[in-house]
Amino acid sequence: MKKTALYCITLLILLSACVSKKEKENTLSFSGAFALYPLVIKWAEVYKEENPEVRFNISAGGAGKGMADALAGTVDLGMFSREITQAEKDKGVWWVGLCKDAVFPTISADHPYLEQLKKRGLTRKEFKSIFIDGTITNWNALLENTEPLQIQVYTRSDACGAAGTWAKYLDGKQEDLKGVGIHGDPGLAEAVSKDPTAIGYNNTAFIYDINTGRKHPGIEVVPIDLNENGRIDPEENFYEEFDNALKAIADKVYPSPPARELYFVAKGKPEKQTTLDFIKWTLTSGQDYVKSAGYVPISDEKLKDYLKKVN
């Protein structure tokens, strides 16, 4: 009797271990860029319908966290949203590109000089003077016939691709950006929208509503005067509708940076088959959901090159 009981207990322990191992093999964990988070959520929903045995743990915390977690092996894949540095390559990072989006400069919809800013825009040099050099601190230094109004600059406090990409456009690094530090894309968008004197920057997915194609209530975009002629010409005026903004990114009218490619990263090529299967799906069938989720597809040639890295 005792031997039978012992045998049953041992069998239960072995079965439990097998189940736990199988669950671990079929669970995919992600952390990282807010920019990629909405698309990965969408992909997970669709993929799980086709593969119900696969589980997903997805958390946003900034591209820096995604890279750190991936290199430490605490997640299967990091979500990453800026150019991969040589130092990260030297640490053994493996990556595949998935799609593109961009970082746009943002202000509050309640800004007292909103219409003037929309017509005039700001040049790259002027953005640099605000965010990096700190030599422009008042809106009346940019806009004629306006009352003095201090510029409140907001930036990201977490290590992130949006800040790194925006800073690179301005010939700097994230640590060079001035302003009040706010954690996360949603937090920065909220802070800017509530402060009529504010300026910040956000990933497109946190500026526009993908269902309506319009900007979220309270937030507006400062157009970039690309040809620096002191006004926003028709070909530079693509910010009102999300589709037009995405087209400008795809057609490279909007500069890169702040447009950029978005990635999955890992410490070396993933060994878990579930991870590799999911990546292959995102580079093939999963691409059908890129546009509808509010992102710009990368070229077929690039997709083929990334697939070669997975196979």
Side-chain angles (χ1 to χ4, degrees):
M1 186 71 177
K2 288 182 178 180
K3 287 184 179 181
T4 302
L6 183 61
Y7 172 79
C8 290
I9 293 171
T10 303
L11 183 61
L12 286 171
I13 292 171
L14 290 172
L15 287 171
S16 177
C18 289
V19 170
S20 297
K21 184 179 180 181
K22 188 175 180 181
E23 284 183 355
K24 186 177 180 181
E25 286 295 312
N26 287 330
T27 299
L28 295 178
S29 57
F30 304 76
S31 73
F34 284 92
L36 196 49
Y37 179 78
L39 179 56
V40 177
I41 290 291
K42 178 62 179 178
W43 274 341
E45 290 173 353
V46 177
Y47 194 78
K48 192 165 178 59
E49 288 178 4
E50 301 173 9
N51 303 272
E53 75 283 359
V54 179
R55 299 182 180 186
F56 289 87
N57 293 324
I58 308 166
S59 65
K65 178 170 172 53
M67 178 62 78
D69 288 348
L71 290 175
T74 56
V75 295
D76 293 299
L77 294 169
M79 301 178 290
F80 203 64
S81 57
R82 62 160 170 77
E83 187 177 339
I84 296 167
T85 66
Q86 186 58 50
E88 289 160 343
K89 293 174 185 178
D90 292 342
K91 292 178 181 177
V93 68
W94 179 93
W95 72 94
V96 292
L98 304 162
C99 59
K100 288 179 67 178
D101 81 335
V103 180
F104 285 176
T106 52
I107 55 172
S108 170
D110 293 326
H111 195 290
Y113 306 126
L114 175 62
E115 292 308 314
Q116 287 169 265
L117 282 167
K118 281 188 173 184
K119 291 176 182 178
R120 180 194 186 281
L122 296 180
T123 65
R124 178 175 168 274
K125 184 178 179 181
E126 288 168 336
F127 282 118
K128 184 178 180 182
S129 296
I130 294 169
F131 281 95
I132 302 282
D133 301 333
T135 53
I136 294 179
T137 60
N138 205 291
W139 287 108
N140 72 348
L142 299 163
L143 303 168
E144 296 179 358
N145 304 316
T146 57
E147 295 295 321
L149 182 68
Q150 193 78 15
I151 300 174
Q152 178 60 67
V153 182
Y154 289 93
T155 188
R156 289 279 290 275
S157 61
D158 51 311
C160 67
T165 300
W166 180 242
K168 186 174 182 181
Y169 176 60
L170 305 178
D171 294 328
K173 299 179 180 179
Q174 177 171 355
E175 52 266 32
D176 299 323
L177 293 173
K178 299 185 182 301
V180 177
I182 305 292
H183 180 81
D185 237 315
L188 184 53
E190 183 179 14
V192 169
S193 67
K194 289 183 175 179
D195 187 343
T197 70
I199 190 167
Y201 52 87
N202 278 98
N203 297 305
T204 52
F206 293 87
I207 298 172
Y208 296 92
D209 183 327
I210 63 170
N211 295 314
T212 65
R214 308 292 294 180
K215 292 185 284 290
H216 289 297
I219 199 160
E220 278 288 347
V221 178
V222 186
I224 299 179
D225 180 8
L226 298 169
N227 61 12
E228 301 186 355
N229 66 350
R231 65 178 183 272
I232 297 301
D233 295 322
E235 62 270 19
E236 299 170 315
N237 190 17
F238 45 76
Y239 299 95
E240 288 304 311
E241 296 285 344
F242 198 14
D243 284 347
N244 291 337
L246 293 174
K247 186 176 186 302
I249 297 167
D251 293 345
K252 300 182 181 179
V253 175
Y254 192 74
S256 179
R260 52 26 193 324
E261 201 167 299
L262 304 176
Y263 307 93
F264 281 149
V265 295
K267 174 69 170 179
K269 181 180 175 181
E271 296 180 359
K272 192 161 74 175
Q273 191 59 47
T274 307
T275 306
L276 293 171
D277 289 343
F278 178 70
I279 296 172
K280 288 177 188 177
W281 181 88
T282 64
L283 295 172
T284 52
S285 301
Q287 289 294 305
D288 294 342
Y289 304 92
V290 168
K291 283 186 178 180
S292 62
Y295 297 80
V296 175
I298 56 178
S299 68
D300 290 341
E301 185 179 350
K302 275 195 169 186
L303 288 172
K304 288 177 183 176
D305 287 341
Y306 288 131
L307 271 171
K308 288 178 184 176
K309 292 183 72 174
V310 182
N311 291 326

